[in-house]
Amino acid sequence: MLTDKDFLTKQKPSWCPGCGNFAIWIAMRQALAELNLDPHKVLVVYGVGCSGNDTNFIKTYAWHSLHGRAVPTAIGAKLANKDLTVIVMGGDGDGYGEGLGHFLHAIRGNVNVTYVVHDNKVYGLTTGQTAPTSDRGFKTKTTPQGTLDDAVNPIALSLAQGISFVARGFSGQAENLKHIFKAAIQHEGFALVDVFQPCVTFNKVNTFQWFFDKIYNLDEKKDYNKADFQAAMKEALVWGEKIPVGIFYQANKPEYISSLPQLKGMALAKRPMKVRDISKLLYEFK
Ligand SMILES: Cc1ncc(C[n+]2csc(CCOP(=O)(O)OP(=O)(O)O)c2C)c(N)n1
Ligand code: SF4
């Protein structure tokens, strides 16, 4: 029987005390343990940002990717070795700014990868610039008068693009977060879990208390049906005095790898290599 301790490394997290990343770190290790996924069966691909430091703090296969490029890297790895459970962890700047195009195209393909976005509504690692999920009016060193841009809405955007699983969690509710991670990892297809992860150092607006005052859980909402697309979209557009968390939507949709005859049977990475004679090709470069 695995426990969250089986996913600890010798490195101690270096995040600021009180950072929302700690709860994600704990909930993810618990989810992996409860799903009985040994560390060698899991690959986590990280973006660049404070969340990316998790590369050293969670014991699985780990790949510290480029900023905004974690999702396509993970999809490539899953295509090469479908036997691995593949998870992506990145920041909101990474995923909804630099990597937004990759995110939308990943939804189209529906490859079986879980994407966890540490959404702190600010650029943390680079010391506090306005991010794609910062609300209009948010003041930082890059927008001292307040940003004039509306925030990206990852839940509505991913629903509109046809995502098969989308959820939102909160670092202030680690137990709930664990359940959401487990459901997302078990889902057959591309799953987004956007996690409110307060950055206690550079975001003095969207604090733990700010979220606690606003959030309600869709699981506790009477008659909420996560298979109902219209209901999910309605909740996805709720933002202000009240903010929903939980699983917004889950649907069956063809998964990419299982739809490709070339990938049936043994994982590509486990097949014997057929090494061709490439001497003629090399000769052209002489
Ligand atoms: C292509 C590219 N652009 C910009 C950067 C600089 N950079 C590194 S981390 C970062 C922002 C991180 O913010 P976010 O993704 O929200 O993660 P957080 O640190 O808040 O967890 C930026 C702009 C980079 N490394 N590569
Ligand atoms: S800068 Fe913000 S996101 Fe980064 S470790 Fe510190 S509190 Fe966490």
Side-chain angles (χ1 to χ4, degrees), residues 77-122:
K78 184 74 183 175
L79 290 172
N81 189 354
K82 61 182 179 167
D83 296 343
L84 282 174
T85 293
V86 179
I87 297 166
V88 183
M89 297 256 228
D92 52 299
D94 189 292
Y96 307 143
E98 285 83 347
L100 186 68
H102 293 302
F103 169 54
L104 292 180
H105 289 290
I107 294 170
R108 293 175 58 217
N110 198 35
V111 176
N112 191 3
V113 162
T114 301
Y115 186 24
V116 176
V117 178
H118 299 225
D119 185 354
N120 52 24
K121 301 164 88 48
V122 74

Side-chain angles (χ1 to χ4, degrees), residues 245-285:
V245 297
I247 299 174
F248 283 71
Y249 184 66
Q250 184 165 19
N252 287 328
K253 195 180 153 185
E255 195 276 332
Y256 193 88
I257 293 176
S258 46
S259 312
L260 258 188
Q262 297 90 327
L263 295 180
K264 290 239 175 339
M266 192 183 280
L268 286 184
K270 294 178 181 168
R271 294 182 197 175
M273 288 269 277
K274 284 188 190 140
V275 184
R276 286 230 204 102
D277 178 8
I278 57 164
S279 50
K280 270 192 193 153
L281 180 69
L282 290 177
Y283 185 76
E284 288 177 25
F285 293 98

Side-chain angles (χ1 to χ4, degrees), residues 21 48-52 66-69 90-95 98 118 120 122-126 129 131-132 197:
N21 281 328
V48 173
C50 292
S51 57
L66 295 175
H67 194 52
R69 308 290 176 243
D92 52 299
D94 189 292
E98 285 83 347
H118 299 225
N120 52 24
V122 74
Y123 280 10
L125 190 74
T126 44
Q129 298 82 12
Q197 172 258 310

Side-chain angles (χ1 to χ4, degrees), residues 25-264:
W25 175 62
I26 294 166
M28 180 53 78
R29 287 187 292 109
Q30 288 176 342
L32 294 173
E34 287 182 23
L35 291 173
N36 209 26
L37 289 165
D38 289 282
H40 73 276
K41 292 182 184 160
V42 182
L43 166 71
V44 188
V45 180
Y46 297 92
V48 173
C50 292
S51 57
N53 294 344
D54 245 331
T55 313
N56 301 307
F57 314 143
I58 300 183
K59 193 170 85 180
T60 61
Y61 285 120
W63 181 287
H64 206 164
S65 177
L66 295 175
H67 194 52
R69 308 290 176 243
V71 168
T73 308
I75 288 174
K78 184 74 183 175
L79 290 172
N81 189 354
K82 61 182 179 167
D83 296 343
L84 282 174
T85 293
V86 179
I87 297 166
V88 183
M89 297 256 228
D92 52 299
D94 189 292
Y96 307 143
E98 285 83 347
L100 186 68
H102 293 302
F103 169 54
L104 292 180
H105 289 290
I107 294 170
R108 293 175 58 217
N110 198 35
V111 176
N112 191 3
V113 162
T114 301
Y115 186 24
V116 176
V117 178
H118 299 225
D119 185 354
N120 52 24
K121 301 164 88 48
V122 74
Y123 280 10
L125 190 74
T126 44
T127 71
Q129 298 82 12
T130 294
T133 49
S134 304
D135 287 321
R136 182 178 273 271
F138 189 68
K139 289 184 183 169
T140 67
K141 57 181 86 168
T142 49
T143 55
Q145 307 297 323
T147 179
L148 298 172
D149 294 330
D150 283 328
V152 167
N153 180 335
I155 311 292
L157 197 57
S158 56
L159 279 169
Q161 190 50 64
I163 201 160
S164 57
F165 181 106
V166 57
R168 186 192 271 146
F170 170 40
S171 288
Q173 297 180 333
E175 183 66 16
N176 195 29
L177 203 50
K178 179 190 78 181
H179 290 301
I180 294 176
F181 286 162
K182 284 173 71 176
I185 292 168
Q186 286 177 305
H187 176 73
E188 276 286 310
F190 187 81
L192 170 70
V193 185
D194 183 84
V195 185
F196 289 144
Q197 172 258 310
C199 168
V200 294
T201 304
F202 294 112
N203 188 339
K204 303 292 184 191
V205 177
N206 310 108
T207 59
F208 275 97
Q209 195 56 53
W210 190 90
F211 287 112
F212 272 122
D213 289 345
K214 295 175 167 45
I215 59 167
Y216 62 94
N217 203 314
L218 291 173
D219 290 347
E220 289 161 15
K221 205 176 161 184
K222 205 169 156 270
D223 298 333
Y224 187 74
N225 176 7
K226 61 181 190 303
D228 181 343
F229 179 84
Q230 303 294 340
M233 191 53 113
K234 198 170 163 208
E235 290 291 343
L237 297 174
V238 174
W239 189 265
E241 288 309 304
K242 294 280 168 217
I243 301 174
V245 297
I247 299 174
F248 283 71
Y249 184 66
Q250 184 165 19
N252 287 328
K253 195 180 153 185
E255 195 276 332
Y256 193 88
I257 293 176
S258 46
S259 312
L260 258 188
Q262 297 90 327
L263 295 180
K264 290 239 175 339

